[in-house]
Amino acid sequence: MRIKSSLLNISAGLGNQIIITALSFISRTVFIHSLGVEYLGINGLFTSILSMLTLAEAGIGSSIIYNLYKPVADNDRPKILALMQLYKKAYQIIAGVVLLLGLGLMPFLHLFIKETNVENISFIYVLFLINTAAPYLFVYKNSFLNVNQKNYIVTIVFSISAIISTCMKIAILYFTENYILYLIVESILSIITSIIVAYIVDKMYPFLKEKIKSKLDHETKASFIKNMKAIVLQNVGNYFIFGVDSILISSFISIAAVGLYSNYKMLIDICRTFLNQVFSNMYHSLGNLVAKESAEAIYRIFKVTYLLNFWLYSLLSIMLYLLVEPFIDIWIGSEYKMTKIVLLVLVIAFYERGMRNSLSAVKTTAGIFHEDRFSPLFQAVINLGISLVFVKFWGIAGIFAGSVLSALAIPFWYTPMLVYKKVFNQPIRRYYSSYVYYTCIGVISCLISSRVIIIVPSNTIIGLIIQSFICFVLVNIIYIVFFHRTAEFKYLYGVVLALLHKVPHFSNVYHKTFKRKRHMEVGGTK
């Protein structure tokens, strides 16, 4: 059932991502040609600034979701109602705090913007702020679907909304070039979508509207507060690790440079979001597994997800490194490219962070928040220190180098230590031996692919598609050669066969082949 729910959610998520990706490229292309790189920079800068104001939200959300896994698995409705009511009140407070803090930052916006010709900066910022704060009044209902492994419903609703929103915004940019109208439409549709999801949840789970007849026990409250404080600290650190790049670029270089970076960031975020559709939809099934199964069973499934984690993240890392530059040349022109060293550092950061994905999922679903609450803060200090020094010598590449080096200094070793000790009861050397082995195979695959794809020119869209196909196939062949004998690969292969077995044509072929094989075996014994 966990596998079935995960696959349903993953299918919906991947379908959504394909649609959103196609629309994103069209929207970004129209945006650049209609408004220019400075508006693109403002878009990225305000997104980064407002991300800082939403740090507390993730702490509350993650903590309550962790506490919901067991009552949902046990169908403990009184506790579910009490937690959901707490969730609702917490988000109402968060919406108010985000709005007030956001308004408080308005007089200081000029400190983050080095140079720009964009007009109506303050009004644009207010529209960003409304779009950030308003959905929090309804978003707590989304999480209940996620815990019940029905987040494909949220995905479908948001996919439809994204299609409508993107088409309207493209039309606005193309015909009017009015950025303010563009943002107003985005805000309205975002709020409407959140209301629709909340309505669907109420229809599916009418008991959520019942009045609370019991209160949360002291132990759950204490756990919630303890975890929330830890997660808020972690998210403050994470913001200064991942969220300040655009602010630093704008402050030390220019708002136009933020626009150039935002194109690379969009491509990397598309890859990250694509993979998150796979792993985040496993996340809630994993929470159910952690709540019910033994450490041995959890570790066995972790090794499978870890191989899948490496396979997908390294594959996309290789393709990003080899194909992003020719893609930008064809898409919007060589004047929008950054240096090769910037791309390399961005890809390394993408890979390193991605390789911790499965590990972080186990850590979160097991409720390990308090133990490493200060780690992101230490990492943030290292990140900012390195970035501020290196930006003087390397420019933009120096800012991103801070993220990579700070990650190697703290979470690279501390997160696996916690999970292997507290959840798996396994020696940590097993993690690092796998990590080194996997990474070496990834580097070898990248080197081989780089030598092979150059036989095809990449200055046309057809050439780039052929290069992408060669790279994709070659890397997967190399991985199959290395991993086909492992238990983890066999498990994943079994899941793929089970999926194909449900496809009517494949199912008929499979049964005919199986029956023919059985008939030959029986005939041979006579």
Side-chain angles (χ1 to χ4, degrees), residues 78-108:
K79 192 165 186 178
I80 291 172
L81 286 171
L83 284 166
M84 289 298 288
Q85 186 62 30
L86 179 61
Y87 208 177
K88 180 180 179 180
K89 290 179 179 177
Y91 265 113
Q92 288 173 344
I93 295 170
I94 287 296
V97 169
V98 168
L99 191 60
L100 290 174
L101 289 177
L103 292 173
L105 275 176
M106 280 187 65
F108 307 100

Side-chain angles (χ1 to χ4, degrees), residues 487-500:
E488 294 80 19
F489 179 88
K490 291 175 181 177
Y491 183 97
L492 290 171
Y493 182 67
V495 171
V496 171
L497 283 183
L499 281 174
L500 293 174

